[in-house]
Structures are given as structure tokens and as C-alpha cells.
Amino acid sequence: MKDTVTALEQDTTVPNREATGPVGDRSLKAKIGDYIALTKPRIIELLLVTTFPVMFLAERGVPEAWLIVATLVGGTLSASSANVLNCYLDRDIDKLMHRTEGRPLVTGAITPRAALMFGLVLGVAATLWLGLLVNWLSAWLSLGAIVLYVGFYTILLKRRTSQNIVWGGVAGCMPVLIGWSAVTNSVSWSALVLFLVVFFWTPPHYWPLSMRFKDDYANAGVPMLPVIAEDVTVGKQIVAYSWVTVLTSLALIPIAPMGWIYAVIAVVSGAVFLLEAHMLLKRAKEGAPYSVLKPMRLFHYSISYLTLLFIGVALDPIWYYAVIR
């Protein structure tokens, strides 16, 4: 899916431009590349990172291969739908921002009507795929993620409040629940804890990116927190959310319960995450210019942190399955 909303808008992929000129004159390969670019593949990769490992925890071992494939395909279709519809709705502000000015709807490579139909078809396909091949709980959660990202975040929050990424980030947490429900056809406390990990992780992941592109957001009239607040204020918020993220990740140990593999990964990767957040705040308090502030350092590590944490989520039950059992 979830604009980690994630992480839901960090993708800056420039579409294939091997053919220029009117839309009808473009090569088939270029058109396919444009449609793929609308789905924001890099964001989908991050969303699947939180879906796949949760299935191992829910199974307490290795799920059936067909179920993994069916769930990941459905999740990809769902996230693609949300991202395409986001591009459709944001095409007016995308043309005002340097990092998004190359998107297919801005360049005219794809018409708004075609993009809208593409996004809707993907959403219907995702719901039916998950409902018929996985279970209907996963299908409805997937549909809910699309609605949250498109309706709640893109339409309602993004252009109205600096807390847009906080509450809009709920959509990016849904893959955790989808992965769990795909295996158990239910939702548990363990799944909810991991949902909250992604929820609290989203601001310290996305706000550093917003610091990097705050001029873009300002030009487009999008009130991201770094646009309307000083770097120190943003840094304090990042530190606060980082601490809550790490503490929530540790809460999974007694609730799941988790073993030593997850515990070690959560503690070590979490400590580095906190260190990076505090270093960003320290540089902000010193009034460092952007070249020294380096918010993208935390942004990139936040992706590594989430990836490592969820690798731990998968490895812990695999260890139990392979060794203890």
C-alpha cells in the first residue's frame, strides 16, 4: 500500500522517456514504463517488507508458498492502486515540485482519465484477488488501506494539516494486518503492536525527507511540518516518535512472545535509530545548514531499521520452527 504512507511518497522515480512527443507516438515499452512509474515501485517494496515477515510470525514457522505468493501479489496490486490514485489526485501539485515534475501525469505521458481507470481497476483486482485466493478479511483490510491513503490522507489531510503524515500514515501500517490475517484470518495483539511500530516509525522516517524537499512542499502549498516549523522543533518531534517506535518494538517481545534473535536485532538497530535521531536534533540546535544537517542520513537509515526489524520478525519463528521444534 501506505503514502509507510508512509513511506508512502518517498519515491522519486522518473518515468521512462525513451520516446518523446504525443502520447500516441510513444513506444509500447515507454508506455509500460510510465504506468509502472505511476505505481511507485520503490514504495511498494517497502510495504511488502512489512507484509512478508509478519506471515512467518503468524504461522510460527514457514507459511505455505502459494499463500505467500498470493498475499504479496494482492498486496502489490492494492498498493499500486493507492499510489496511482494518489498521483491522479496530486497531479496539480506534482507539477510544482521538482522531485515530482517528471511523473507521467505531469509530463502528459498518461492522461488523467487513463490513470484514474488504471487505479480503479487495480483496486478492484486487488480486492477480488485477495478475497478469492486468500480470505475476505485480508481483502477488506486491503480495500481499507486504499481508502485511507486516497481519501483520508491524500484528499482530507495532506493539504490541510502539518500532521498529515502522522494520521495519514495509518494506511502504510495496513500491510502488517493484511499479512497476519492472510495466515490466521484474524487480527491479534501481536499484529496490532507491529501496526503501531510502523505507525510511530512513519513521522521520523518521512519528516527528514520533508526537510530535504521543504522548498518543494512550500512551493506547492503543502504544509508538511518542516515547512511551517523550525528545524529544532521538527528534530524534537522526530526524537520523540523515534523513542516511541523503539519502545513499541520491544513490547512485542513479551506479547508475541519473541526470542533472542528478534530481541537482539530490535535493541541494536533501535539504538542506532535513536542515535541518528538525536544527532539530527543536535545539529539542528547548533543551527547547522542543510549540508551539515543531513536529514537524509536518518531517512535512509530509517528504511534499514524497519527492514532489519521485520527481518527479525521473520527469522525468530523460523529459528523456532527449524531448531526448537
Side-chain angles (χ1 to χ4, degrees):
M1 229 50 39
K2 155 19 117 94
D3 51 192
T4 148
V5 165
T6 148
L8 290 176
E9 284 189 356
Q10 82 253 17
D11 187 87
T12 55
T13 305
V14 177
N16 187 342
R17 294 181 179 174
E18 69 174 43
T20 57
V23 173
D25 294 340
R26 295 175 63 77
S27 70
L28 178 61
K29 182 179 179 181
K31 288 181 180 179
I32 292 174
D34 288 328
Y35 277 99
I36 291 175
L38 279 182
T39 67
K40 305 180 185 178
R42 290 171 58 192
I43 296 177
I44 294 174
E45 291 174 8
L46 186 58
L47 293 174
L48 295 183
V49 161
T50 63
T51 306
F52 180 67
V54 171
M55 298 181 72
F56 288 80
L57 181 59
E59 183 69 28
R60 281 292 170 180
V62 181
E64 295 184 14
W66 71 266
L67 182 61
I68 295 174
V69 172
T71 304
L72 295 184
V73 170
T76 298
L77 291 172
S78 179
S80 296
S81 171
N83 289 333
V84 171
L85 294 174
N86 170 263
C87 286
Y88 168 78
L89 292 168
D90 277 353
R91 64 191 186 278
D92 59 328
I93 58 176
D94 280 348
K95 67 182 179 182
L96 302 177
M97 298 192 290
H98 177 69
R99 77 181 186 90
T100 56
E101 63 185 5
R103 287 180 175 170
L105 280 169
V106 177
T107 64
I110 296 177
T111 65
R113 183 178 183 277
L116 176 61
M117 293 304 298
F118 182 47
L120 292 175
V121 168
L122 286 172
V124 172
T127 304
L128 292 176
W129 177 280
L130 288 170
L132 296 175
L133 298 182
V134 181
N135 58 58
W136 285 105
L137 175 58
S138 297
W140 299 135
L141 288 170
S142 168
L143 181 60
I146 296 173
V147 172
L148 283 169
Y149 186 51
V150 176
F152 189 54
Y153 171 67
T154 305
I155 296 177
L156 182 62
L157 297 177
K158 183 173 181 178
R159 308 188 194 200
R160 291 179 172 84
T161 172
S162 62
Q163 297 298 301
N164 47 21
I165 202 64
V166 177
W167 299 107
V170 171
C173 309
M174 296 298 284
V176 172
L177 302 184
I178 294 169
W180 189 279
S181 66
V183 174
T184 67
N185 200 20
S186 65
V187 175
S188 74
W189 285 110
S190 297
L192 290 174
V193 169
L194 289 171
F195 176 96
L196 290 174
V197 168
V198 181
F199 176 78
F200 293 127
W201 166 88
T202 300
H205 162 68
Y206 198 83
W207 280 334
L209 180 74
S210 302
M211 295 172 81
R212 165 66 178 84
F213 293 105
K214 66 179 178 180
D215 289 340
D216 267 3
Y217 285 116
N219 290 337
V222 179
M224 291 295 179
L225 184 63
V227 174
I228 66 170
E230 298 293 331
D231 288 343
V232 173
T233 301
V234 178
K236 289 179 179 178
Q237 290 287 308
I238 287 173
V239 166
Y241 274 101
S242 297
W243 270 100
V244 177
T245 300
V246 173
L247 292 175
T248 304
S249 73
L250 297 178
L252 185 66
I253 297 173
I255 290 175
M258 304 300 290
W260 68 269
I261 294 177
Y262 174 83
V264 170
I265 292 176
V267 169
V268 174
S269 62
V272 177
F273 188 38
L274 291 173
L275 176 63
E276 290 291 341
H278 278 278
M279 290 300 294
L280 176 62
L281 175 59
K282 179 177 180 293
R283 293 191 293 268
K285 287 181 176 179
E286 293 171 349
Y290 174 78
S291 59
V292 178
L293 190 63
K294 297 180 179 179
M296 293 298 284
R297 178 184 171 98
L298 177 58
F299 168 76
H300 289 301
Y301 179 73
S302 68
I303 298 174
S304 299
Y305 166 73
L306 195 71
T307 302
L308 288 170
L309 190 71
F310 276 82
I311 287 175
V313 169
L315 289 180
D316 212 272
I318 291 176
W319 170 263
Y320 172 82
Y321 179 82
V323 177
I324 298 179
R325 281 182 56 180

